Amino acid sequence: MTETVHYDREGQIAILTVDNPPVNALGHALRVELLAAIERFEADDAEIAVLVGAGRLFLGGADVSEFGKPPKDPWLPELIGHLERVAKPVVAAIHGAALGGGLEVALGCHYRVALAGAKLGFPEVSLGILPGAGGTQRAPRVVGTDAALELITSGAPVDATRAQVMGLVDRMVEGDDPRLAGIAYAGELLEQGAVARPVADMPAPAAPGRDWSDWNVELEARHPGQIAQIKAAEAVRAACEMSFEDGLAEERRLFDLLVDTPQREALVHAFFLERQVSKLPELKGVEPRAVEAVGVVGGGTMGSGIATAAVLAGLPVTLLEQSEEAADKARLTIEKNLDGAVKRGKLTEEKRGRIDLTTTTDFEALSEADVVVEAVFESMDVKRQVFDQLDHVMKDGAVLATNTSYLDVGEIAGGTRRRADVIGMHFFSPAHVMKLLEVVVPDTTAPEVTATAFALGKRMGKIAVRAGVCDGFIGNRILSHYRAAATEMVLQGASPYRIDAALEAFGFAMGPYKVADLAGLDIGYMTRERKGLQTGEVNPDWDDRLYEMGRLGRKTGRGYYIYDEDSPKGRPDEEVTRLIEEVRAERGVEPREFTDTDIVERYLTAMVNEAARVVGEGIAKRPLDVDAVLLFGYGFPRWRGGPMTYADHVGLATLRDRVARYAEDNPDFWQAAPLLVELADSEKQFKDLN
Ligand code: T1G
């Protein structure tokens, strides 16, 4: 018996059980043990073998932490090749998940049975690589070229039912014991006299239904700027046009090419980021408080979204509004959100029927909640009143959270007798869809309250990032700076439409002006007093005039763009262009040309510079926290890893020098963050601080 692969017999059936928690990742040690177990089966008089995973899933894929390191024998492709050539039949019994190399191992087996509920897929392209252990050669032989192309280039898993329909598995069975399912199927195969059935011996797959150039156009449209999907399709093409051996070699060549790309490094960084952000030294060994019931104060867009996210997580929710009518309106909004979740396949009708939502107009109804999230109007006075009432009704030990997007959480806490229990939980609209949650921690907050906010965030499916207290915390503070850089460029001659296009070409799903129109110009609008503008002082933001003209974006049909039936996604507006020309004339600005490169460099330099200030001041604990905020809350392209990872790739000295150059015509705005200069001068990178 070895510690990562157990070997035992049931009559003529050998059972090889992989036991490498937490996800049976196919790291080097496991590969050595698995090869030894396969060789033991070959020498054994057992007639058939079953390969099964212990714990919650079959095999979670190659060990992502080994990427970029020199691979050690046995390589996964070799191990799978050896498995496939075993003279006696081997059955893969799949439960939970068979992903990446895990599915490739299953395809190296001769037969496959999956338990209902299992998910099977090739997520490699989401890590910037491709299935590099034979998946691009075996999958098309088993499910056909078109289905294999979809499976491999999308990175999306399929469930066991779909897998059976496609032929990815031979059987799909009910139950929750993969060992039993594997033994039963192996017994049947023995009775049928089944023999080893190497996928490699199956005929080469036919060319796809659409020609390869169409596929490339499609993939570039679906994944703009990304290369892994294109290369993965090339590997599948090799399966159709080369011998199995040559196809394997071509897959390896393309895999090695992708491993060395910045996109792979960025995407693997993003993968681990989702888990690292919640690993904070201050929370080590800190137990979160139990959360069995949640209260929400305020049933507007945010309050209803937060309540939706909590009921979707299976938590009972009590939502407080000021009147029955407002409470009913909130319930309607939540019901609509849940309809959307059912449509998106995020909620079954059965689970929908079991959600536990109570609306009320009485603060007392919140008294038993373990956490209450306040989401009322963004006014310190209003929030202080709400927290004063909560302070009187909530049970001891309850966590009082505010969803404020920029107010001082410490000041809100200061109005209560239980400052240690007060924290910020800043959700992003729509709160039941956006993954980012900023947990804003004033100095007065107790560590277990922070741990509770993180635990609740995880339960709600959020990626929680710790933020310190300042105007805008991490995301909105950095946003205000790179938006200001865009505003400055428009004043100097760039068109807002060109800025959007340049940043979408960089990889943002939407440029800043389309985002503003979508969110509403009233949302981002900072009053003159909040900007600290003195009476008569010129507002640096020309676009505030749009707000003042009542052009709020999509919701009013006009913002930066015009939205109507001719152009539901918006089209440029001559009136906006004229307004900008007027403002330039007022300020005596002679417009100049901005290339796409100029636009991207200025916009991202402002983003990185303010991010460096945010890390330097401790508002974000690490650069990876900033990457997480921009990736999961602000549409930064995942395959660039986030602004700090992008900055490391560009080079911090280059960014420092750009700030100095821009400062020549605007020294007030372009002041290099001390941390950026310090790291650049010492030739260090942001990742050195992670
Ligand atoms: N390698 C290393 N560590 C992994 C891992 C992996 N493949 N998958 C998960 N972990 C860690 C994770 O960081 C976390 O660590 C812990 O395990 C629990 O993860 C040759 C080259 C399998 C569906 O992309 O999708 O195969 O935070 O919280 O919610 O072609 O993990 O506890 O320290 O996510 O139950 C392809 C990625 C690799 C699968 C389980 N495989 N993982 O979800 O647990 S490339 C993947 C997942 C490849 C081949 C190529 C999920 C999961 P910590 P978790 P979970």
Side-chain angles (χ1 to χ4, degrees):
M1 296 286 257
T2 61
E3 74 276 8
T4 55
V5 180
H6 309 309
Y7 186 101
D8 69 296
R9 290 279 296 267
E10 291 270 345
Q12 286 313 315
I13 302 171
I15 296 102
L16 285 66
T17 306
V18 172
D19 186 6
N20 186 27
V23 299
N24 291 338
L26 289 150
H28 176 246
L30 170 54
R31 296 198 302 272
V32 171
E33 303 290 355
L34 187 50
L35 181 58
I38 294 166
E39 288 165 343
R40 179 171 170 185
F41 165 58
E42 288 181 279
D44 196 351
D45 64 357
E47 294 173 33
I48 191 166
V50 172
L51 178 62
V52 66
R56 57 192 174 193
L57 52 92
F58 176 62
L59 297 171
D63 185 332
V64 181
S65 61
E66 288 183 352
F67 286 0
K69 297 175 191 161
K72 291 185 195 157
D73 284 339
W75 288 22
L76 193 54
E78 284 162 1
L79 173 65
I80 294 171
H82 184 113
L83 169 63
E84 183 170 60
R85 288 295 159 211
V86 169
K88 299 180 284 184
V90 181
V91 176
I94 297 165
H95 78 296
L99 295 172
L103 179 52
E104 291 175 300
V105 167
L107 288 170
C109 296
H110 305 117
Y111 300 90
R112 286 158 289 281
V113 55
L115 267 62
K119 60 179 185 175
L120 300 89
F122 291 114
E124 285 87 343
V125 290
S126 63
L127 295 167
I129 49 175
L130 54 77
T136 63
Q137 308 304 304
R138 292 190 176 89
R141 284 174 163 76
V142 169
V143 302
T145 306
D146 292 299
L149 279 166
E150 270 306 329
L151 195 60
I152 290 168
T153 60
S154 69
V158 294
D159 66 19
T161 309
R162 178 95 188 88
Q164 188 194 21
V165 169
M166 296 166 73
L168 196 56
V169 299
D170 305 288
R171 285 284 173 83
M172 193 276 282
V173 296
E174 295 299 330
D176 55 10
D177 185 335
R179 178 190 169 92
L180 275 184
I183 289 169
Y185 186 34
E188 257 186 67
L189 289 166
L190 273 186
E191 275 166 28
Q192 294 161 9
V195 295
R197 185 184 65 170
V199 171
D201 294 347
M202 293 178 185
R210 320 165 38 185
D211 63 55
W212 294 104
S213 56
D214 273 2
W215 261 101
N216 270 352
V217 168
E218 170 86 18
L219 290 174
E220 276 163 5
R222 283 189 203 171
H223 314 280
Q226 298 185 61
I227 48 177
Q229 294 80 358
I230 301 286
K231 296 301 172 192
E234 285 178 29
V236 172
R237 180 170 188 171
C240 303
E241 299 176 354
M242 298 180 180
S243 71
F244 184 79
E245 288 315 315
D246 291 349
L248 273 186
E250 178 63 357
E251 174 191 88
R252 176 53 44 183
R253 182 185 73 80
L254 293 165
F255 178 87
D256 289 345
L257 179 152
L258 289 173
V259 165
D260 290 340
T261 58
Q263 289 193 14
R264 189 275 305 158
E265 190 179 350
L267 286 164
V268 169
H269 167 69
F271 168 80
F272 281 116
L273 199 53
E274 292 183 31
R275 295 156 178 84
Q276 285 169 301
V277 281
S278 55
K279 292 197 176 86
L280 291 161
E282 74 197 68
L283 296 185
K284 204 162 174 56
V286 177
E287 269 308 301
R289 292 177 189 163
V291 178
E292 304 303 331
V294 170
V296 176
V297 180
T301 307
M302 287 310 290
S304 299
I306 294 164
T308 306
V311 292
L312 282 171
L315 285 158
V317 172
T318 302
L319 184 141
L320 171 76
E321 252 295 358
Q322 291 172 327
S323 67
E324 287 299 336
E325 186 204 358
D328 291 345
K329 189 163 172 287
R331 176 180 287 279
L332 265 180
T333 307
I334 294 165
E335 294 296 345
K336 248 194 326 196
N337 292 343
L338 293 174
D339 291 342
V342 170
K343 253 193 235 112
R344 289 197 310 275
K346 300 283 182 209
L347 178 69
T348 61
E349 284 295 357
E350 184 265 332
K351 264 187 86 175
R352 163 74 185 269
R354 283 191 281 116
I355 66 127
D356 180 347
L357 171 68
T358 309
T359 55
T360 179
T361 57
D362 174 9
F363 267 91
E364 284 297 337
L366 297 174
S367 60
E368 286 314 301
D370 303 298
V371 177
V372 63
V373 185
E374 166 273 315
V376 300
F377 184 64
E378 280 291 81
S379 141
M380 182 56 82
D381 291 345
V382 173
K383 290 187 188 296
R384 295 258 305 206
Q385 282 166 26
V386 166
F387 272 77
D388 182 49
Q389 301 214 57
L390 291 173
D391 196 10
H392 283 90
V393 302
M394 300 302 294
K395 66 183 181 185
D396 286 350
V399 171
L400 280 56
T402 171
N403 172 58
T404 183
S405 60
Y406 69 93
L407 293 171
D408 183 332
V409 180
E411 192 179 330
I412 294 171
T416 70
R417 294 161 300 177
R418 49 173 117 186
R419 297 171 179 217
D421 293 336
V422 178
I423 195 163
M425 290 184 77
H426 176 218
F427 291 84
F428 286 75
S429 184
H432 60 295
V433 174
M434 291 297 283
K435 288 190 76 71
L436 180 64
L437 166 67
E438 282 181 324
V439 175
V440 186
V441 187
D443 299 340
T444 46
T445 301
E448 70 270 18
V449 171
T450 306
T452 306
F454 268 86
L456 177 56
K458 183 173 171 88
R459 187 155 169 200
M460 292 166 81
K462 302 301 175 189
I463 292 172
V465 181
R466 185 203 185 285
V469 177
C470 72
D471 188 333
F473 314 136
I474 298 173
N476 284 341
R477 170 167 162 182
I478 295 170
L479 166 67
S480 68
H481 277 78
Y482 60 80
R483 277 300 308 279
T487 302
E488 180 191 56
M489 279 191 271
V490 171
L491 273 186
Q492 291 180 355
S495 139
Y497 311 117
R498 177 87 184 260
I499 288 175
D500 276 354
L503 289 162
E504 285 159 23
F506 175 81
F508 284 90
M510 273 180 155
Y513 296 106
K514 279 191 191 148
V515 170
D517 274 357
L518 182 65
L521 274 59
D522 47 328
I523 301 298
Y525 179 66
M526 285 172 78
T527 56
R528 290 178 59 88
E529 54 272 4
R530 198 173 143 210
K531 286 184 182 178
L533 293 174
Q534 305 309 318
T535 314
E537 189 182 348
V538 171
N539 184 343
D541 299 327
W542 59 272
D543 41 7
D544 281 352
R545 293 191 194 177
L546 292 175
Y547 168 77
E548 286 143 13
M549 290 155 69
R551 297 174 64 122
L552 304 189
R554 278 178 188 245
K555 54 185 153 187
T556 59
R558 282 170 181 267
Y560 296 96
Y561 295 82
I562 297 173
Y563 301 90
D564 57 22
E565 61 283 354
D566 297 340
S567 54
K569 289 195 183 301
R571 67 175 184 275
D573 184 349
E574 271 309 305
E575 202 177 311
V576 172
T577 305
R578 266 199 307 283
L579 165 71
I580 296 167
E581 284 160 0
E582 281 163 24
V583 173
R584 287 178 188 147
E586 278 167 24
R587 300 187 187 174
V589 173
E590 192 50 43
R592 66 178 177 80
E593 180 63 25
F594 279 83
T595 65
D596 287 1
T597 303
D598 293 335
I599 290 168
V600 169
E601 287 183 352
R602 273 177 177 261
Y603 190 83
L604 286 156
T605 303
M607 182 187 294
V608 170
N609 193 42
E610 192 55 24
R613 221 185 292 283
V614 161
V615 174
E617 292 169 17
I619 299 295
K621 287 285 185 189
R622 306 153 293 186
L624 68 86
D625 294 291
V626 173
D627 279 343
V629 167
L630 274 290
L631 284 175
F632 303 116
Y634 290 79
F636 197 94
R638 185 184 174 94
W639 51 273
R640 290 187 187 270
M644 312 311 256
T645 301
Y646 162 79
D648 282 347
H649 179 61
V650 168
L652 302 192
T654 302
L655 291 162
R656 173 202 60 204
D657 299 347
R658 277 189 201 153
V659 174
R661 192 165 72 247
Y662 302 152
E664 285 161 16
D665 59 23
N666 188 345
D668 292 345
F669 180 78
W670 291 103
Q671 296 177 25
L675 180 63
L676 176 62
V677 175
E678 179 198 326
L679 291 175
D681 292 352
S682 51
E683 293 177 3
K684 287 216 178 74
Q685 294 187 299
F686 283 125
K687 70 179 177 184
D688 299 328
L689 304 180
N690 280 338

